[in-house]
């Protein structure tokens, strides 16, 4: 039975998820600028984001300590329902703050320390979500993951995609998730297009860190003449580029038939 405090926390999370979806600027602006009411607004915004990260981690813990019984997977995922809500809040923050920073003139009094602190919290949460997804796959399979927890998958992929489209340092740890997303895009009529839309910026970002033209890369994928020239790679170039997993994901996102598909069509 839930305690009164737990009930309040759950209600606050659901409320914040709605507010960040409808009015992200109103919720988060206190974290990024200095003004007369900065302290009050900062505490309110920090509460929303820290609550999402803490409760999201708690939901992950509650699911990961359950025994690896695929028959009970639906019950286990239902127990961690808050992860979807928390991922949505964190995703809303990443989407909003990136757009907001891009729109600001240099003269804006930006609270960089506050943004940095919150990004650290979100990074820890994102790392936990990656570990959870890999643990979940080990317990069941990609197909059962989507079958038993579609909402959780879609919200987690959106959150991770927003983070991975800015932070190549996590790409190595998240490498196994590429093939998971490929399978969902190819085999899920209901969710495949949405997942493809979410992960496409990750592909663009990974190629950019290696100095590779996305248009040329897509053309090379189509003609099966990949070179993966990383000569213009930055210091933090993505380790994804040049791997089979990355190429397969890109084919799925760009709707380029795989070699297996082409052979099957010829038959």
């Amino acid at each position: 039975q839930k305690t009164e405090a737990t009930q309040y926390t759950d209600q606050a999370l659901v409320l914040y998820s709605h507010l960040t979806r409808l009015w992200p600027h109103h919720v988060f602006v206190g974290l990024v600028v200095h003004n007369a009411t900065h302290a009050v607004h900062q505490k309110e915004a920090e509460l929303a984001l820290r609550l999402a990260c803490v409760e999201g981690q708690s939901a992950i813990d509650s699911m990961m300590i359950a025994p690896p019984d695929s028959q009970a997977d639906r019950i286990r995922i239902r127990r961690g329902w808050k992860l979807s809500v928390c991922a949505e809040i964190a995703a809303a923050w990443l989407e909003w703050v990136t757009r907001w920073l891009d729109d600001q003139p240099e003269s804006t009094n930006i609270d960089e320390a506050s943004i940095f602190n919150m990004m650290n919290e979100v990074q820890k949460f994102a790392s936990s979500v990656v570990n959870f997804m890999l643990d979940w796959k080990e317990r069941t399979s990609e197909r059962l993951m989507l079958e038993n927890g579609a909402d959780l998958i879609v919200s987690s992929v959106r959150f991770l995609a927003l983070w991975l489209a800015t932070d190549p340092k996590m790409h190595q740890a998240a490498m196994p998730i590429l093939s998971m997303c490929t399978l969902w895009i190819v085999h899920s009529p209901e969710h495949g297009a949405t997942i493809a839309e979410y992960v496409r910026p990750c592909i663009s970002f990974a190629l950019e860190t290696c100095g590779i033209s996305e248009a040329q890369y897509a053309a090379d994928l189509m003609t099966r003449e990949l070179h993966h020239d990383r000569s213009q790679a930055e210091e933090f170039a993505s380790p994804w580029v040049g791997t089979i997993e990355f190429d397969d994901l890109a084919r799925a996102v760009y709707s380029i038939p795989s070699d297996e598909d082409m052979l099957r069509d010829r038959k």
Side-chain angles (χ1 to χ4, degrees):
Q1 187 173 354
K2 292 185 178 181
T3 64
E4 188 173 359
T6 302
Q7 290 178 343
Y8 283 137
T9 299
D10 292 353
Q11 291 168 0
L13 280 173
V14 173
L15 176 60
Y16 279 132
S17 72
H18 288 303
L19 291 176
T20 54
R21 189 182 304 116
L22 296 171
W23 302 290
H25 181 83
H26 177 77
V27 177
F28 295 129
V29 71
L31 282 171
V32 295
V33 294
H34 293 289
N35 55 42
T37 58
H38 174 68
V40 175
H41 289 163
Q42 183 181 34
K43 287 182 179 179
E44 292 175 350
E46 281 186 353
L47 175 61
L49 206 48
R50 289 187 190 278
L51 188 66
C53 292
V54 170
E55 289 298 315
Q57 181 64 63
S58 177
I60 289 172
D61 292 343
S62 71
M63 289 185 284
M64 290 183 72
I65 62 174
D69 179 4
S70 60
Q71 298 300 319
D73 200 46
R74 290 179 184 272
I75 298 174
R76 186 173 73 92
I77 298 307
R78 199 178 304 130
R79 186 186 304 136
W81 66 270
K82 282 190 282 189
L83 178 56
S84 292
V85 178
C86 296
E88 288 172 2
I89 296 171
W93 155 253
L94 291 173
E95 193 170 51
W96 176 82
V97 75
T98 302
R99 187 169 58 246
W100 185 86
L101 288 171
D102 288 343
D103 291 342
Q104 298 312 301
E106 293 184 6
S107 59
T108 303
N109 191 14
I110 298 174
D111 190 344
E112 295 181 359
S114 177
I115 295 174
F116 181 78
N117 289 336
M118 287 298 100
M119 285 301 191
N120 277 339
E121 296 291 328
V122 175
Q123 181 182 31
K124 295 173 188 175
F125 181 32
S127 181
S128 294
V129 174
V130 168
N131 292 334
F132 165 68
M133 297 277 278
L134 300 183
D135 174 81
W136 191 2
K137 178 188 174 184
E138 289 298 316
R139 292 170 182 262
T140 55
S141 67
E142 293 97 331
R143 182 183 61 79
L144 287 174
M145 287 171 70
L146 197 62
E147 184 178 308
N148 294 340
D151 290 343
L152 187 51
I153 290 292
V154 172
S155 58
S156 296
V157 167
R158 177 172 179 249
F159 166 50
L160 287 179
L162 285 164
W163 185 263
L164 293 168
T166 60
D167 181 16
K169 296 189 293 294
M170 196 182 288
H171 282 197
Q172 188 63 51
M175 183 78 77
I177 291 180
L178 301 186
S179 59
M180 297 162 67
C181 288
T182 300
L183 187 143
W184 294 327
I185 292 169
V186 172
H187 295 289
S188 175
E190 185 176 356
H191 303 288
T194 300
I195 293 174
E197 179 185 347
Y198 289 158
V199 301
R200 181 159 189 159
C202 297
I203 296 173
S204 304
F205 174 71
L207 292 170
E208 183 181 340
T209 67
C210 294
I212 296 174
S213 161
E214 184 174 3
Q216 184 60 53
Y217 172 72
D220 290 345
L221 273 180
M222 184 71 75
T223 59
R224 270 60 177 177
E225 295 181 0
L226 286 170
H227 303 293
H228 296 123
D229 180 7
R230 297 167 64 106
S231 59
Q232 303 298 317
E234 299 176 3
E235 182 180 356
F236 296 107
S238 170
W240 290 351
V241 179
T243 65
I244 294 173
E245 293 85 354
F246 182 73
D247 293 344
D248 287 345
L249 176 62
R251 285 192 186 93
V253 170
Y254 299 150
S255 299
I256 297 174
S258 66
D259 292 339
E260 293 80 5
D261 293 335
M262 295 179 71
L263 287 172
R264 188 167 53 249
D265 291 342
R266 287 173 185 172
K267 292 179 181 179

